Amino acid sequence: MSFCQEGSARYSAPDARVLRWIGPVPRCDRDMTPTSPTPPSSEPAKAVAPRPPDASGPCAADSAIDIHDLTVAYGERPVLWDIDLAVPRGVLAAVIGPNGAGKTTLIKAILGLVRPLTGEICVLGEPYSPRRGCVAYVPQRSSVDWDFPTTALDVVLMGTYARLGWFRRPGRRERQQALEALERVGMQDLAYRQIGQLSGGQQQRIFLARALVQNAPLILLDEPFQGVDAVTEQTIVTLLRQLRDQGHTLLVVHHDLQTAAQYFDWVILLNVRLIASGPTASTFTLENLQRTYGTTVR
């Protein structure tokens, strides 16, 4: 089996400056790599979208995300098992599945925050490396230390760190870009407010503004609608659609089955194994949902 080696997701590390305020993330250490995990008891057949016909080699040039034979386990418990997944460029895609299905782990594996047991992960036709600045990440709100003493504007400015490097500080240009991003999410009036004083919906908009200033072609969002009001949810959906229309690819962990078909044009159904992946109209079906969640879905 071949692997994406240098710069692959398994060997990537998060930016230490971001860790100062978002708190710890899973480390790529030996404790997260089992020697012989027990496979899931059931083995549903996968219904996946075919790879582009001109794809060659381990990284498909036409895919935003290209994953092969991915298995991730914590101890002896598999969280993701034998995942083969191709997400095309320019889609607004949802990752949907029950609790414990491995949705967040999939995002973290793409980012290199957890170490796969086996598999390849390629982003935009190449092995992923954070140095390329091609991926923006909006984590779950619950993973962030909101007591960290910083303002909304400072958080958004963190999105400029990757392209500035270690020895340059954000200047007037970066500050203007951050203010414009805050305006796009309707938060310009709260730019100097401490993040701990913001509501859940406002905090989520700040994260989205930080992703905007990164201007990354691929944006990963982990439950961006969790704990937000209806107005904020619609604001976020509108912005995600605008980004898609501008050519960005967005991968969103999502729980609400009632809104999935309305919000997304691509759906990935996951329950440790990949159940189905493809355009929403043909993939988000009752049959596939029952295979993902069980027969309780009607």
Side-chain angles (χ1 to χ4, degrees):
M1 180 180 295
S2 62
F3 294 92
C4 297
Q5 292 291 339
E6 182 179 357
S8 71
R10 280 180 288 172
Y11 302 108
S12 305
D15 192 324
R17 291 166 293 187
V18 176
L19 293 183
R20 289 186 303 178
W21 70 275
I22 67 172
V25 295
R27 294 174 51 203
C28 294
D29 53 27
R30 293 190 182 91
D31 293 338
M32 303 180 70
T33 307
T35 55
S36 56
T38 304
S41 56
S42 60
E43 191 166 342
K46 290 186 285 189
V48 300
R51 296 185 65 194
D54 60 343
S56 60
C59 297
D62 288 348
S63 295
I65 301 170
D66 202 26
I67 297 174
H68 301 282
D69 302 323
L70 177 67
T71 294
V72 179
Y74 299 148
E76 295 187 358
R77 181 176 66 89
V79 184
L80 295 172
W81 189 268
D82 192 26
I83 302 295
D84 289 294
L85 174 66
V87 179
R89 302 188 188 214
V91 298
L92 177 52
V95 182
I96 296 174
N99 292 335
K103 301 183 296 296
T104 294
T105 299
L106 178 65
I107 297 290
K108 291 182 176 180
I110 294 170
L111 290 167
L113 301 181
V114 296
R115 176 184 293 178
L117 180 66
T118 62
E120 307 167 330
I121 301 174
C122 300
V123 173
L124 302 172
E126 298 180 22
Y128 172 69
S129 169
R131 293 185 295 274
R132 291 171 56 200
C134 61
V135 181
Y137 174 43
V138 178
Q140 291 186 22
R141 287 181 51 251
S142 60
S143 66
V144 176
D145 179 10
W146 294 108
D147 294 325
F148 190 87
T150 190
T151 66
L153 179 60
D154 290 335
V155 171
V156 179
L157 280 170
M158 290 179 184
T160 67
Y161 286 172
R163 63 176 180 265
L164 289 175
W166 286 101
F167 303 108
R168 290 180 56 197
R169 296 175 60 85
R172 181 179 301 176
R173 178 183 177 185
E174 288 74 28
R175 185 183 184 85
Q176 183 60 36
Q177 291 172 343
L179 290 171
E180 290 173 357
L182 285 168
E183 185 174 3
R184 288 188 69 181
V185 299
M187 291 292 293
Q188 64 274 21
D189 293 338
L190 299 177
Y192 301 98
R193 183 77 58 87
Q194 292 289 314
I195 57 171
Q197 298 174 356
L198 302 175
S199 69
Q202 291 169 339
Q203 291 170 345
Q204 201 66 283
R205 293 191 195 200
I206 295 302
F207 269 133
L208 195 53
R210 188 185 70 172
L212 289 176
V213 299
Q214 291 179 254
N215 196 31
L218 175 62
I219 304 175
L220 309 180
L221 303 97
D222 196 352
E223 300 189 39
F225 306 119
Q226 185 179 40
V228 304
D229 57 35
V231 173
T232 297
E233 182 165 326
Q234 289 305 310
T235 298
I236 294 174
V237 170
T238 299
L239 185 55
L240 296 185
R241 288 171 175 166
Q242 291 173 352
L243 291 168
R244 175 201 58 196
D245 294 343
Q246 293 168 3
H248 296 267
T249 304
L250 302 105
L251 187 66
V252 183
V253 174
H254 189 61
H255 273 294
D256 187 359
L257 298 181
Q258 302 299 319
T259 59
Q262 176 186 354
Y263 290 174
F264 301 97
D265 49 63
W266 193 273
V267 170
I268 299 161
L269 297 175
L270 186 69
N271 192 350
V272 182
R273 297 179 185 272
L274 180 65
I275 306 301
S277 175
T280 302
S282 59
T283 306
F284 194 70
T285 64
L286 178 60
E287 179 184 358
N288 283 336
L289 289 173
Q290 289 177 337
R291 292 169 58 216
T292 305
Y293 289 89
T295 55
T296 57
V297 177
R298 300 188 184 282

